Amino acid sequence: MTVLAAPPATTITELAVGFADVCGFTTLSRFVDLPRLDLVVQSFEDVCAGALGDSAEIVKPVGDGVLYAMGSADDAVAVAVRLVAAARECPLLPALRVGLAFGPVLVRRHDCFGPVVNLASRLAAAAPPGAVVVSDAAHDEAREQCWSWRRLPRRELKGVGSVAAWEVTGAL
């Protein structure tokens, strides 16, 4: 997958951007020894590689999280659900949470920038452990898939403002 394989020049394109975060990682890192922490990090990397595979482009690891991008919101929801489920199956890994947004993204030197990227990150931070939370735009774009959704109350997200979002509650 090469959604970010743009030339060195800047491009603007519509993408689904996901941010997956390991819940409680900072606290965990205070209470386990470094070899055990290394196992957790390796487990996270393995789960990401398996769940994201060739269907999503990993933009970059971000500490205890990963930023990924895809051209299709439908596929991005499926990947997010797969990622959370894979973490649930991994005994060494705490729960993950995923925030997903869709819209115009600035792509520059294989990195993503803009409000959509910031929104995905903030939605992940606001999501409960084990949840996939998507923006209104991602929800509207992902209607081709048979997902069940729960409308979340509007919330204030740091640096973003008041946002309405949806939680993916399962496949129909």
Side-chain angles (χ1 to χ4, degrees), residues 1-7 11 13 15 57-60 67-70 105-112:
M1 167 138 258
T2 57
V3 295
L4 301 180
T11 57
T13 188
L15 292 174
E57 182 152 344
I58 296 175
V59 177
K60 60 184 165 188
L67 179 67
Y68 67 93
M70 306 179 73
V105 175
L106 176 71
V107 177
R108 186 167 194 272
R109 295 192 181 108
H110 308 286
D111 203 348
C112 293

Side-chain angles (χ1 to χ4, degrees), residues 4-5 46 57 62 84 88-89 95 108 111 122 129 135 142 152 165:
L4 301 180
D46 293 346
E57 182 152 344
V62 183
V84 167
R88 198 175 293 124
E89 298 297 317
R108 186 167 194 272
D111 203 348
R122 297 300 186 208
S135 68
L152 299 174

Side-chain angles (χ1 to χ4, degrees), residues 16-68:
V17 176
F19 187 82
D21 179 45
V22 178
C23 298
F25 186 82
T26 302
T27 302
L28 176 71
S29 68
R30 290 180 45 219
F31 295 106
V32 300
D33 59 25
L34 293 180
R36 172 72 176 201
L37 192 61
D38 185 46
L39 289 172
V40 172
V41 171
Q42 184 62 55
S43 295
F44 176 62
E45 290 172 356
D46 293 346
V47 162
C48 287
L52 300 175
D54 291 335
S55 60
E57 182 152 344
I58 296 175
V59 177
K60 60 184 165 188
V62 183
D64 60 326
V66 65
L67 179 67
Y68 67 93

Side-chain angles (χ1 to χ4, degrees), residues 16-19 68 73 76-77 80 98-102 116 119-120 123-124 132-136 138:
V17 176
F19 187 82
Y68 67 93
V77 172
V98 179
L100 183 67
F102 180 83
V116 169
L119 180 55
L123 287 171
V132 175
V133 175
V134 305
S135 68
D136 270 342

